Amino acid sequence: MATKARTPKAAAMAPRTIGRSLLLTLPIAFWSLLMFANPQRHSNRAPQIASLITAVFMIVLFFMMMRTGNTYRWRRWFFVALGILFPVGFIHTVMVMRGTMGLPIEEMIAGRTPFCYLPIPLLILPAAFTKSLVFPGSILPSGGMSGAGMAGMAGLWLAVTLVLGKGWCSYACFFGGIEEGMASVPPRAKLRKIDPRWRYGPWAVLLAMVLLSLALFEPAYCMWLCPFKAVSEYVAARNTVGMVQNGIFVVLFAGLVIALPLLTKKRTQCAFFCPFGAFQSIFNKTSVFDVKIDRTRCSPCLLCKTACPTMSLTDESIVRGETLMSCMKCGACVDACPKQAVVWHIKGTEVAGKPERARLLFLYAAWAMAVMFGGSIIAEGLATILHVFV
Amino acid sequence: MTTPFILGEALTLGLASGPACMASCGPVLVPSLLAERAGLRRNAGFLSAFLAARFLGYLLFAAVAWGLGVLVSLPPAPRLLLFGVVHVLLAGALLWYAYSATHACAQSCAGSELVSISVTKKRGVPGAAVLGFLTGVSLCPPFVAAGVRAAGLGSVAAALLFFALFFVGTTVWFVPFVGMGCVARNEAVTTVARMAMVLIAIYYAYLGLAMLMGRRVYGY
């Protein structure tokens, strides 16, 4: 993954000294070691080695963010690793627990379907009307097949979301990394003209899925449209309906997560389809962190607009000095700006105030969560692979 | 004999079933309301046309079914065929609606003339009525509940009256939809509504085709 050549231009900020960068990395280093210290002795050393590698990986990436002043470039390594290793660990778990990647109806009836955060917006209306959850999983924090019950996942999501807003989609989502990796492969986009109205796609999918979930009393997105079923658990196809569902999953995954990111260099599933992303955009209003454009420095060269993987910058928004509410706070636009006009910002403060302080505060929150949540998923995936060799 | 007690039961049944009716009609009603122009009066007009046509669909279905003596015991094969056709028509109406809105948008300004197929528009194509009628005859669960009860009444007139009061009860739950007229309309809202209509239409088309091929889906 050659990242250097693909970022339009590195940020002009002078690198920090190694000593100062190390000092700034210390809190994350302590946190990482705390998260991945495993005092228990197992006969198999794979989990310990995986934890150690993950801790070092997360610490080094944060150090490089501090040292170079770049965010997107280093975050992407973490995010792609998360996207690739999540299916590895998850598939291993379902194979051990269930013996197949297929999710049979018996498992659903028993309430053992693993819960991810994507159906959260689909559960709200049915719960409000009927006081019941339209998901065949367990609500207990330790429930469900993989030990990730609805209460635990929803609690984690809410806590993180209130702080980071849609930053969840760049630092926690274990699906987005695959397409971000795909988008980073080609040196330049082959498909450059994208109708900006496709940006409304996630909202349309959200509206349709919320309404259908209420009407059908099932998480309609999980049943019919989730592209990531193709790399996690598919419907145990015992009839034509199951075949149709799996066909849709595979086609959407191949199109939105593989082919279109390769052609456009954008996170097309996130930008044009994901209903959870649209829902998450609302929480950019509650987050204290955002990305602003200092109009006194902006040329405008539009490099930020080109770099944005979700088309969250338009000519009009740049004139207004802000991103659209779909901004995932990945940092691509900040890194791309040659004049440091695109800056991290804390609401209520001056745009041209202390952007690096805003960046640090944001990154401490985001990376602490990335270490805890994404890091544990990376470690599990790594352990699964290492288990073969160690 | 129809007693006030029975009529009160119809109203109560309608009130109790309202959320289920709302959930059943939501995928059709909400996007089409959002694709309409903003304003409480305009949305109220659209909703009235939708509900009136839905009521007509209810009564027509009840009367025909009563006349044929098959209100609650329609054999599976013709039932699948009937509801398959209804769902395909519903999908077609939604797609047509979404396309029509796009067409209107392309031919006029971005704001005021976005949609031109509601009953109040100059094209005069009763979009709301078509959608309302098709949802009225698509046999949602509350409709079945009312049908079972109405089948036990002595005459077709009593059954229709029962359905009418049942409808009044459910309609109370639809009143808040008028509030969607307060949602500001811009290109984003109408585009989202049209895209959602297409997605929902695809789902209904799938349901319809599956039923036409003789497959039982979701209780039909």
Side-chain angles (χ1 to χ4, degrees), chain A residues 129 197-201 203-205 207-209 211-212 214-216 218 223-225 240-241 244-245 273, chain B residues 19 22-24 26-27 30-31 34 173 187-188 191-196 199-200 203-204 206 215 217-218:
Chain A
F129 278 106
R197 282 179 298 184
W198 285 113
R199 279 198 314 261
Y200 304 133
W203 292 97
V205 178
L207 178 63
M209 291 302 111
L211 293 169
L212 284 177
L214 184 60
L216 306 172
E218 65 177 22
M223 299 295 288
W224 292 101
L225 290 183
T240 315
V241 176
V244 170
Q245 287 170 311
F273 192 75
Chain B
M22 206 170 68
S24 283
V30 173
L34 284 175
W173 289 87
E187 192 204 4
T191 306
V192 165
R194 291 202 305 265
M195 286 177 166
L199 277 173
I200 291 163
Y203 180 74
Y204 282 136
Y206 156 76
R215 301 202 176 275
V217 283
Y218 296 110

Side-chain angles (χ1 to χ4, degrees), chain A residues 292-307:
Chain A
K292 289 279 187 188
I293 296 148
D294 183 353
R295 295 291 304 142
T296 58
R297 292 184 175 196
C298 182
S299 4
C301 61
L302 301 183
L303 283 174
C304 53
K305 184 182 162 187
T306 310

